[in-house]
């Protein structure tokens, strides 16, 4: 947990999210079970994480447009590499970045991130805007999660033995943030391929 690691660059990161979303707009994807996700998502990189009735996967193109996802902004790559290196993962080069957008009332149910090819690679997660409570569970869905507060500028480097732990985000509380208004963004930088 690198508290405030992205604070200095936060405005540039938010501007870059806006540029990514101009090419690949945020959308509410459908889970394989047929539920519309309350989190709005987009991606950048060689591959983007998608879900639809057929399942969860990474794919090189945006299903809405058929075009490749926009490239990962240089500011994301630099931050991810620096955060990973400072946590013992030198040489981290992500090829996929999922961008999550939350409004008050939005939540993310407990899940594992297991669509990536190599679980030895960490995931670098960046929180921007409204605060959230991260639910950090165990290796079984039934394990009671720890509640971890995440605020604007916090970065988490997640790798090693807990890489496949269940986790989620509790329902976002009402609020206003000077940098994002009524929104929280989360970037997760991954080596998916
Ligand atoms: C979020 N994060 O903070 C959701 N997954 O909005 C995740 O689901 C996540 O932060 C894998 C690794 C780090 C994460
Ligand atoms: Fe996740």
């Amino acid at each position: 947990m690198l508290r405030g690691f992205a604070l200095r660059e936060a405005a540039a990161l938010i501007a870059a999210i806006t540029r990514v979303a101009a090419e690949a707009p945020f959308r509410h994807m459908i889970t394989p079970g047929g539920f519309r996700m309350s989190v709005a998502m987009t991606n950048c990189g060689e591959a983007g994480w998608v879900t639809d009735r057929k399942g969860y996967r990474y794919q090189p193109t945006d299903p809405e447009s058929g075009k490749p996802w926009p490239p990962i902004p240089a500011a994301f790559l630099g931050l991810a590499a620096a955060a990973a290196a400072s946590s013992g993962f030198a040489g981290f080069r992500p090829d996929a970045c999922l961008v999550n957008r939350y409004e008050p009332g939005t939540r993310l149910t407990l899940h594992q991130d297991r669509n990536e090819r190599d679980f030895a690679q960490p995931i670098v997660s960046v929180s921007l805007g409204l605060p959230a409570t991260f639910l950090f569970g165990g290796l079984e869905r039934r394990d009671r999660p720890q509640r971890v507060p995440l605020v604007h500028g916090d970065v988490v480097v997640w790798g090693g033995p807990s890489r496949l732990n269940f986790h989620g985000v509790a329902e976002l509380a009402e609020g206003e943030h000077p940098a994002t208004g009524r929104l929280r963004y989360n970037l997760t930088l991954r080596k998916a391929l």
Side-chain angles (χ1 to χ4, degrees):
M1 169 75 71
L2 304 170
R3 294 275 180 209
F5 194 87
L7 263 185
R8 210 164 41 85
E9 294 140 282
L13 298 174
I14 293 163
I17 292 171
T18 304
R19 289 192 292 271
V20 166
E23 269 191 68
F26 284 101
R27 80 291 306 266
H28 295 274
M29 297 188 203
I30 306 296
T31 66
F35 295 100
R36 173 188 188 266
M37 296 188 75
S38 65
V39 181
M41 296 176 165
T42 187
N43 288 279
C44 48
E46 281 170 61
W49 185 87
V50 298
T51 174
D52 58 20
R53 291 304 304 233
K54 289 178 276 183
Y56 307 124
R57 63 191 175 277
Y58 283 95
Q59 66 171 53
T61 53
D62 179 347
E64 295 296 320
S65 66
K67 295 190 306 184
W69 298 104
I72 302 181
F76 293 13
L77 292 172
L79 176 68
S86 80
S87 305
F89 295 95
F92 180 55
R93 278 203 310 277
D95 54 19
C97 178
L98 173 63
V99 187
N100 291 161
R101 187 186 70 190
Y102 299 74
E103 295 176 44
T106 301
R107 69 195 192 98
L108 185 62
T109 53
L110 285 183
H111 66 276
Q112 292 172 296
D113 284 53
R114 51 186 312 152
N115 297 120
E116 301 75 28
R117 275 199 191 125
D118 179 3
F119 300 142
Q121 295 279 339
I123 295 177
V124 174
S125 168
V126 183
S127 291
L128 296 164
L130 286 177
T133 300
F134 194 78
L135 306 171
F136 186 65
L139 280 171
E140 308 279 351
R141 186 182 291 278
R142 64 173 181 272
D143 297 336
R144 175 194 280 275
Q146 280 176 248
R147 299 173 69 89
V148 182
L150 289 178
V151 304
H152 182 67
D154 286 348
V155 177
V156 179
V157 179
W158 188 348
S162 66
R163 173 65 179 71
L164 289 173
N165 281 33
F166 279 89
H167 59 280
V169 177
E171 186 173 313
L172 212 75
E174 191 54 67
E176 275 273 327
H177 191 280
T180 61
R182 271 177 90 252
L183 296 172
R184 170 178 187 256
Y185 294 109
N186 174 258
L187 308 174
T188 40
L189 288 129
R190 302 131 184 278
K191 176 121 184 55
L193 303 177

